[in-house]
Structures are given as structure tokens and as C-alpha cells.
Amino acid sequence: MANGSLSQEFVDGQREKLEGLRAQLERIISGMQEDEQDRADQENDAQFDGGDMSQQMFTREMDATIGEQSEERLRDVKRALEKIDEGTYGICEDTGESIPEGRLKAIPEALRTVEAQEKLGR
């Protein structure tokens, strides 16, 4: 079930982009985990007033959101790389339709057509 509308050259280029993106996301996630540990260590060693605590809570919530988004995107990147290996890159996970090349250029880890992604988001 290979996507015959994508050239091997395009797919090879996408693999390079995805591998770079995977490395970048892994560094971000690792750095965030280290930052969280550093913050936890600092919180154990320090006294905070109400404003400091509010800032700490805000920072933790923002980091959690960014971390979740990074981990979700990393899962999609890894799946897209699997699909390249399987010969199904560019085929929607849900519908089996071809994902337009323009969408794949913009979002190399896209696993679904826009329509299928919108349905999933509802």
C-alpha cells in the first residue's frame, strides 16, 4: 500500500527532516526533564513567598503543556518514520487516502489528511 504519488527523492528528504526533528524533540524533552529536576531541587532548598509560588506553578504548568505537546509530536515523528520503512508514508492512518505532498512538506510527521485530523480533534 505504498503511496505511489510520492517520489523516492521526496520520501528520502522527508526521512532526513523527520530524523532531525526526532533528535530535536528528544533534546527538548530531555532538557525539560533536567530543568524539572533542577527546579524540584531548588524548591526543596528554598523558601518562597506567594508570588514566587504562583510563578513556580505557572512555570510547571507551561512546562507540562510543552512537554506533552513535544512527546505527542515525537510519537507522530516516530510513527511517520515507521510508515516510511513500511512503504505507507503519505497514506492517511484513518482513511487510507493520500496525504497531499504540500501537507507533508509543512508537517512531515502528518499521519492523517486534514479532514481526518479534524474529525479526530472533535
Side-chain angles (χ1 to χ4, degrees), residues 48-121:
F48 295 106
D49 65 24
D52 290 337
M53 288 301 286
S54 294
Q55 183 61 43
Q56 289 286 337
M57 288 174 59
F58 175 77
T59 300
R60 262 193 249 115
E61 288 173 13
M62 287 297 295
D63 284 353
T65 299
I66 293 167
E68 288 169 15
Q69 290 171 344
S70 295
E71 288 172 7
E72 184 177 324
R73 189 165 186 206
L74 180 58
R75 279 191 300 273
D76 288 349
V77 166
K78 288 179 176 179
R79 179 63 185 130
L81 286 165
E82 288 173 4
K83 287 176 72 74
I84 289 174
D85 291 339
E86 295 167 356
T88 60
Y89 181 72
I91 302 293
C92 179
E93 296 266 272
D94 297 340
T95 66
E97 296 174 12
S98 293
I99 300 170
E101 191 172 310
R103 177 163 169 74
L104 295 170
K105 283 181 182 176
I107 307 169
E109 71 275 18
L111 301 174
R112 293 170 181 80
T113 61
V114 171
E115 296 79 13
Q117 188 66 45
E118 286 174 351
K119 268 188 186 175
L120 185 69

Side-chain angles (χ1 to χ4, degrees), residues 24-64:
Q24 180 184 13
L25 289 164
E26 287 172 343
R27 282 192 304 272
I28 289 169
I29 292 166
S30 175
M32 291 186 74
Q33 290 168 344
E34 290 171 15
D35 289 350
E36 179 62 30
Q37 184 59 51
D38 290 346
R39 255 194 314 284
D41 293 344
Q42 290 173 358
E43 288 173 11
N44 290 335
D45 295 341
Q47 296 291 334
F48 295 106
D49 65 24
D52 290 337
M53 288 301 286
S54 294
Q55 183 61 43
Q56 289 286 337
M57 288 174 59
F58 175 77
T59 300
R60 262 193 249 115
E61 288 173 13
M62 287 297 295
D63 284 353

Side-chain angles (χ1 to χ4, degrees), residues 1-19:
M1 189 159 132
N3 185 346
S5 65
L6 299 177
S7 72
Q8 189 61 47
E9 183 180 348
F10 177 77
V11 173
D12 290 344
Q14 293 299 94
R15 180 189 296 276
E16 276 187 48
K17 287 180 188 176
L18 287 162
E19 287 172 347

